[in-house]
Amino acid sequence: MGSEMEPLLLAWSYFRRRKFQLCADLCTQMLEKSPYDQEPAPDLPVSQAAWILKARALTEMVYIDEIDIDQEGIAEMILDENAIAQVPRPGTSLKLPGTNQTGGPSQAIRPITQTGRPVTGFLRPSTQSGRPGTMEQAIRTPRTTYTARPIMSSSGRFIRLGTASMLTSPDGPFINLSRLNLTKYSQKPKLAKALFEYIFHHENDVKTALDLAALSTEHSQYKDWWWKVQIGKCYYRLGMYRDAEKQFKSALKQQEMVDTFLYLAKVYMLLDQPVTALNLFKQGLDKFPGEVTLLCGIARIYEEMNNSSSAAEYYKEVLKQDNTHVEAIACIGSNHFYSDQPEIALRFYRRLLQMGVYNCQLLNNLGLCCFYAQQYDMTLTSFERALSLAENEEEAADVWYNLGHIAVGIGDVNLAHQCFRLALVNNNHHAEAYNNLAVLEMRKGHVEQARALLQTASSLAPHMYEPHFNFATISDKIGDLQRSYVAAQKAEAAFPDHVDTQQLIKQLKQHFAML
Amino acid sequence: MADVKMFREVLPKQGQLSVEDITTMVLCKPKLLPLKSLTLEKLEKMQQAAQDIIRQQKTAEEEKREKAH
C-alpha cells in the first residue's frame, strides 16, 4: 500500500507523524534515484524538496529546545570572567544565594545542594550544574543530589552527540559541511533556514552555522529578526555573551517574540545579573500578558536566588494559566512538603500521577508524602513501585535512602540499618546515607564505626552541616575536644543559624578557657 | 480495673517541670527527588544512545582486528 503512494508525500506524512527515521530513509532512497550530488539541482524541485525534508527530519531527531540548555561545565564555571561584579551586593547575584532567606524553610528541614540552595522540585539541564565555589569543590561534588553534578565542559557533550550523529550514517555525513558553498545557500532564504538548523543542531558545528547566519542576515539586509536570533544563539554557544546580547536586543527591536526574551534573559543569567533578567521578563509580560514560559522564568530566578515565597507565588501564577505545568506542580509540591504540609504536597504529586507522569522520582515523592501525611496504606506500595521503576543505581540508592527514613519513623532500626546499607551498595558516594548510618551505629554504641562513617560523609559532602555536627558531638563525648571544635566550626560555616552547634562551640570555648 | 490502680500519676501538681536539653545527633532529612524535565530526559537518552553506538563500533572493530590476526 505504501509503495503506491507518491514517495515525497509519504515522506511528508512520516515527518508530520514524527517518524523521522522512516522519513529520512525514504528521502535517502529518493535522493539516490535522482541525479544528485552534494547539493540539490535547481531544476529538480522534487529532489530539492527531499533534500530539505531529510535535513529537517535529521534535525528533529536530535532537536533539543535551545532555551532549556545552559549547562555550564567546570571549565566555564571556574574561569568565569563574565560576571560584572566580583563582590556583588546581596540580592543582586546568583553567587550568594544564602543571603536573602525570605520565609523559606531552614536548612535544618530542607536539604541543600552544595551551592547552598535548597533542593528544587524539578530538574532542568541548567539546575544540574549549580556553580561550585572552587575547583576542588567542583571535582569532589557529591553525586547524591543530582542537582550538583558537574560536567567537565558543556561543549564536550555537544561534541560527543555530534560525532555520534555522524557514526549512525555508514556512508558518511549527509551534508559535507566543508564542501558547502555557504554564499550560494544564503541567497535562498528558505533553504538556508533548514540548512542552518541542520548544521546547528545535528552537526553541532557552531562556527559554520554562524558563517551561514552572518551571510544570510547580510543577504536579507539585516531586516530578518530570525537570523539575528540565530546569530545570537551561535554567539551564546561560543561564549560571547555581550555580542549575543546585542543581537537579541536588535532582534527584539524588529519583532518582539517570546523566544527572544527568553534567550536574552539566559544571557543575563550567565552574566550574573538576575535583577536585569527579572526586569526583562516583566517587560516581556507587558507585551505577552500571562505567557507561561516568561512567568516560569521569573519563578526560576526567584528560586535560584533562594526567595522561595516569591517563587511559589509565580509558580501559582503559572498554574493559573496552564494547570498541567509539571514544573510548577512539582516545585509547589516540594515547597509544601518542606514547609510541613505533606498533605497538600500529596495532592500536588497525586495530580502529577493523574496527568500520566509515572516514574521513579514521582512515586518516591508520593511514598514520602503518604508516610508523613499518615496515609500508611499507600506508602510501601509507592516505594515498591519506585524501586521497580528506578532506571539506574543512583535512583535506587535515593529510594532506599528514603525508605530508611520510613523505617526510622516506624521505629524499626534493623530495617533502617539495612535500607541505608542498600543505599550505599547502590551508590557508594551517598553522603546522607553514611551520616544516618553513623547515627544508627552510635545508638548501638559503636563509636569507632560511627566516627569513620561520619568522616566519610563529611569528606563526601562538606556542604552538609549534619556530619560535621555529629562528628563534633561524638568527639565531644569521648573527650577529643580539639577535633570536636574543628568539626563544630565546619558545621557552623555550613549552617550558621544552627542553635545546637552554637551551644556546643560556646561550651567548648568555656572548656578551653578553663585550661 | 484493678490494674489501673497499680499505676501512680507522675505529673507533679506544683512546682516547676524542667527537662534537660541533651544534644542528640542529627539525621539527614528525607529527600524528595526532583522530577526531570523533558529536555533533560531527551538529552540523557540521546547521550546514552550515542555511547551505545560508539561502544558497538568499538567492539566491532576489535572483533575485526582479532579476525585479521
Side-chain angles (χ1 to χ4, degrees):
Chain A
M1 218 172 78
S3 59
E4 291 154 23
M5 246 168 115
E6 154 76 272
L8 186 62
L9 183 67
L10 185 60
W12 248 113
S13 160
Y14 280 140
F15 183 77
R16 291 185 48 177
R17 284 181 283 156
R18 303 187 64 78
K19 295 181 176 172
F20 300 120
Q21 192 59 54
L22 288 172
C23 174
D25 291 345
L26 196 59
C27 288
T28 317
Q29 282 174 22
M30 285 167 62
L31 289 172
E32 272 169 2
K33 271 183 212 159
S34 60
Y36 145 89
D37 194 25
Q38 175 66 30
E39 54 205 62
D43 50 333
L44 278 174
V46 174
S47 79
Q48 187 168 336
W51 190 82
I52 294 187
L53 193 57
K54 186 177 174 188
R56 284 185 60 193
L58 290 177
T59 311
E60 281 292 328
M61 262 191 257
V62 291
Y63 180 80
I64 304 162
D65 196 352
E66 186 67 12
I67 292 167
D68 264 357
I69 299 177
D70 37 27
Q71 281 186 312
E72 287 190 291
I74 293 178
E76 282 91 342
M77 282 183 276
I78 301 301
L79 306 173
D80 178 22
E81 285 166 358
N82 296 303
I84 294 172
Q86 291 302 318
V87 190
R89 278 181 294 163
T92 61
S93 166
L94 299 170
K95 286 187 179 164
L96 297 168
T99 42
N100 50 353
Q101 277 260 345
T102 43
S106 88
Q107 209 173 330
I109 298 166
R110 186 167 189 166
I112 55 161
T113 63
Q114 59 151 359
T115 45
R117 296 199 176 87
V119 288
T120 165
F122 195 71
L123 209 54
R124 288 167 289 125
S126 57
T127 38
Q128 268 189 322
S129 48
R131 300 162 175 262
T134 61
M135 192 74 184
E136 192 189 13
Q137 210 181 342
I139 293 166
R140 282 196 322 181
T141 302
R143 304 292 150 129
T144 49
T145 331
Y146 286 3
T147 44
R149 170 186 306 215
I151 18 170
M152 289 323 259
S153 159
S154 64
S155 43
R157 179 176 243 173
F158 293 120
I159 290 167
R160 277 203 303 279
L161 288 177
T163 43
S165 64
M166 269 177 248
L167 287 175
T168 45
S169 48
D171 316 324
F174 165 50
I175 299 172
N176 194 341
L177 290 186
S178 54
R179 280 173 52 200
L180 276 186
N181 183 359
L182 292 178
T183 332
K184 211 179 100 194
Y185 282 97
S186 65
Q187 318 280 325
K188 303 174 190 163
K190 283 171 193 152
L191 228 127
K193 285 183 180 174
L195 182 62
F196 174 85
E197 297 219 303
Y198 175 81
I199 300 176
F200 190 80
H201 291 288
H202 190 267
E203 301 284 321
N204 283 307
D205 187 344
V206 183
K207 217 172 137 281
T208 315
L210 180 60
D211 287 343
L212 179 62
L215 287 170
S216 300
T217 190
E218 215 178 297
H219 181 255
S220 67
Q221 293 166 337
Y222 307 99
K223 276 179 190 154
D224 193 345
W225 62 270
W226 193 84
W227 282 115
K228 290 187 180 170
V229 174
Q230 306 313 313
I231 295 178
K233 272 159 73 174
C234 291
Y235 279 140
Y236 180 86
R237 278 264 185 109
L238 293 170
M240 299 155 72
Y241 301 122
R242 284 299 178 191
D243 299 279
E245 183 195 354
K246 269 181 215 152
Q247 294 294 334
F248 289 137
K249 271 189 174 166
S250 155
L252 270 182
K253 259 184 214 154
Q254 265 175 4
Q255 172 82 41
E256 275 165 335
M257 295 294 283
V258 180
D259 272 15
T260 320
F261 277 113
L262 294 172
Y263 285 126
L264 190 53
K266 245 174 73 173
V267 172
Y268 285 132
M269 294 296 281
L270 272 191
L271 293 173
D272 197 21
Q273 291 181 294
V275 182
T276 320
L278 277 178
N279 288 336
L280 183 75
F281 276 133
K282 282 171 189 166
Q283 264 177 43
L285 277 177
D286 288 340
K287 306 282 176 202
F288 303 95
E291 171 61 39
V292 173
T293 42
L294 294 176
L295 286 170
C296 194
I298 296 182
R300 284 175 189 172
I301 294 181
Y302 276 129
E303 193 172 44
E304 284 199 43
M305 287 168 72
N306 229 351
N307 190 343
S308 52
S309 54
S310 299
E313 219 169 88
Y314 274 95
Y315 276 128
K316 276 178 194 159
E317 206 60 40
V318 170
L319 281 188
K320 272 183 205 157
Q321 306 290 340
D322 172 9
N323 58 9
T324 54
H325 200 274
V326 178
E327 176 172 357
I329 298 179
C331 285
I332 296 178
S334 68
N335 255 339
H336 278 300
F337 181 82
Y338 285 118
S339 44
D340 211 15
Q341 294 170 312
E343 305 86 359
I344 301 175
L346 181 61
R347 293 175 67 128
F348 279 95
Y349 284 119
R350 253 178 40 201
R351 162 93 182 146
L352 283 178
L353 194 67
Q354 280 171 355
M355 277 165 44
V357 183
Y358 190 74
N359 54 23
C360 167
Q361 286 89 0
L362 180 66
L363 282 164
N364 168 74
N365 296 353
L366 266 177
L368 274 180
C369 287
C370 282
F371 182 74
Y372 289 102
Q374 305 188 6
Q375 308 230 346
Y376 302 119
D377 50 341
M378 276 282 287
T379 308
L380 288 180
T381 41
S382 294
F383 276 112
E384 269 170 9
R385 286 195 192 168
L387 276 177
S388 68
L389 285 171
E391 274 168 4
N392 52 39
E393 290 188 331
E394 279 153 346
E395 284 179 5
D398 279 333
V399 180
W400 278 117
Y401 167 76
N402 285 324
L403 257 173
H405 275 284
I406 307 298
V408 171
I410 57 176
D412 192 340
V413 183
N414 280 330
L415 180 62
H417 202 272
Q418 283 167 341
C419 286
F420 291 133
R421 276 263 170 241
L422 276 168
L424 288 179
V425 168
N426 279 300
N427 177 3
N428 210 6
H429 296 278
H430 205 294
E432 288 101 327
Y434 276 115
N435 175 66
N436 291 2
L437 206 55
V439 176
L440 294 183
E441 289 290 348
M442 197 58 201
R443 269 176 60 99
K444 287 184 188 168
H446 301 159
V447 183
E448 277 313 309
Q449 271 175 352
R451 271 168 63 106
L453 286 168
L454 284 174
Q455 264 169 341
T456 324
S458 56
S459 69
L460 280 173
H463 64 282
M464 295 195 314
Y465 80 96
E466 291 97 342
H468 297 306
F469 173 72
N470 290 339
F471 191 77
T473 322
I474 293 186
S475 303
D476 181 49
K477 266 185 196 154
I478 58 174
D480 192 346
L481 299 187
Q482 185 59 41
R483 281 209 186 128
S484 171
Y485 185 67
V486 173
Q489 276 190 322
K490 280 183 194 159
E492 198 193 18
F495 183 16
D497 296 334
H498 192 230
V499 181
D500 284 352
T501 311
Q502 286 167 353
Q503 272 181 354
L504 185 64
I505 290 183
K506 209 169 124 192
Q507 245 177 48
L508 286 169
K509 277 188 178 157
Q510 277 173 354
H511 272 300
F512 291 139
M514 278 182 354
L515 288 177
Chain B
M1 280 289 116
D3 294 348
V4 178
K5 280 176 189 165
M6 284 167 57
F7 298 109
R8 282 187 300 115
E9 198 173 6
V10 281
L11 275 177
K13 292 207 168 138
Q14 39 184 300
Q16 284 180 330
L17 183 68
S18 68
V19 181
E20 194 186 355
D21 191 22
I22 309 163
T23 50
T24 44
M25 293 175 72
V26 204
L27 285 173
C28 282
K29 304 301 168 293
K31 204 164 64 178
L32 283 184
L33 301 182
L35 302 176
K36 283 183 194 169
S37 75
L38 279 181
T39 314
L40 189 59
E41 271 181 21
K42 186 167 179 186
L43 213 64
E44 284 183 354
K45 234 180 247 169
M46 273 164 47
Q47 203 168 0
Q48 192 60 44
Q51 273 168 350
D52 286 348
I53 289 170
I54 292 172
R55 207 172 297 142
Q56 274 176 12
Q57 290 209 337
K58 266 188 190 166
T59 48
E61 269 176 30
E62 274 170 19
E63 273 173 20
K64 260 188 197 171
R65 237 178 264 161
E66 272 174 24
K67 274 180 190 172
H69 276 292

